[in-house]
């Protein structure tokens, strides 16, 4: 299953690739339906988004769009953000970073779909809350925590408690963001990195620390 880009109208059917040094990929910018709610029509944008972290064994409904490219039975990761930050972003609701997670899912079935998006049902297999991500992946020593094409051009978008969020964009068409978590020992860990373009982006997950 894959979808058309709403901007250019072309199908986006390339499988995402893992960048060197990172451990896993996760889809971003997807919409989790609140438990117990009926699946809304595809074109509906006003509905109750999930405000509770998924649990292992649950069946959940998610609306996907490009660059999603998976088939029934596939296993994949997707970010979970609580309701407010899923709509407005972490910069507006940084307190929801601690309630965000990486969720490993199995694609069970398609509920409804068109050329641009689909509601699908998944089974939750594994959940890693964001504050635990640095423990979940092997540590990688780097000379700089800043990854990607723009590297240290990325600027601090916000800092909240143990979190730092850096971003860089060009007319909002393409750019990147990077999420850093500081542990109880004061060590800064780059745990998530995303380069995005007109067809969206997929998040690279890992655990990088400076040498």
């Amino acid at each position: 299953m894959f979808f058309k880009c709403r901007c250019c109208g072309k199908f986006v059917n390339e499988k995402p690739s893992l960048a060197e040094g990172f451990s896993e990929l996760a889809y971003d910018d997807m919409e989790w339906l609140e438990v117990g709610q009926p699946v809304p029509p595809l074109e509906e944008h006003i509905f109750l988004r999930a405000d509770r972290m998924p649990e292992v064994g649950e069946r959940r409904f998610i609306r996907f769009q490009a660059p999603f490219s998976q088939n029934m039975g596939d296993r994949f990761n997707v970010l979970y953000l609580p309701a407010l930050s899923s709509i407005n972003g972490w910069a507006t609701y940084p307190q929801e970073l601690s309630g965000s997670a990486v969720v490993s899912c199995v694609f069970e079935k398609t509920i409804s779909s068109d050329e641009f998006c689909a509601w699908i049902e998944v089974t939750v297999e594994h959940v890693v809350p964001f504050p635990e991500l640095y423990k979940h992946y092997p540590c990688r020593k780097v000379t700089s925590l800043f990854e990607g094409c723009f590297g240290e051009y990325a600027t601090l978008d916000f800092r909240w408690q143990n979190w730092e969020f850096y971003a860089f964009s060009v007319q909002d068409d393409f750019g990147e963001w990077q999420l850093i978590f500081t542990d109880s020992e004061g060590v800064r860990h780059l745990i998530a990195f995303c380069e995005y373009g007109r067809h969206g982006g997929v998040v690279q997950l890992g655990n990088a620390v400076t040498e």
Side-chain angles (χ1 to χ4, degrees), residues 15-44:
K15 287 278 189 177
S17 58
L18 187 65
E20 183 178 358
F22 288 89
S23 299
E24 285 189 311
L25 296 169
Y27 289 105
D28 189 13
D29 197 26
M30 309 304 171
E31 299 168 295
W32 290 76
L33 184 65
E34 180 64 289
V35 175
Q37 293 295 308
V39 176
L42 285 169
E43 67 276 7
E44 180 61 63

Side-chain angles (χ1 to χ4, degrees), residues 66-133:
F68 183 77
S69 181
Q70 301 289 338
N71 298 310
M72 196 175 301
D74 286 352
R75 288 170 168 79
F76 56 87
N77 296 322
V78 58
L79 296 192
Y80 165 76
L81 279 65
L84 294 176
S85 55
S86 70
I87 298 171
N88 299 297
W90 288 316
T92 305
Y93 295 97
Q95 66 272 23
E96 291 195 346
L97 275 163
S98 295
S100 301
V102 175
V103 183
S104 299
C105 301
V106 178
F107 187 162
E108 297 291 353
K109 63 181 178 180
T110 302
I111 306 303
S112 58
S113 66
D114 61 18
E115 292 181 323
F116 298 100
C117 64
W119 279 106
I120 74 169
E121 184 176 10
V122 303
T123 296
V124 176
E125 285 201 328
H126 192 58
V127 180
V128 185
F130 267 36
E132 303 296 317
L133 274 177

Side-chain angles (χ1 to χ4, degrees), residues 187-209:
V187 178
R188 298 166 70 231
H189 303 260
L190 173 63
I191 60 170
F193 164 70
C194 180
E195 286 183 336
Y196 59 87
R198 292 179 180 175
H199 293 159
V202 178
V203 180
Q204 309 280 342
L205 303 165
N207 176 21
V209 300

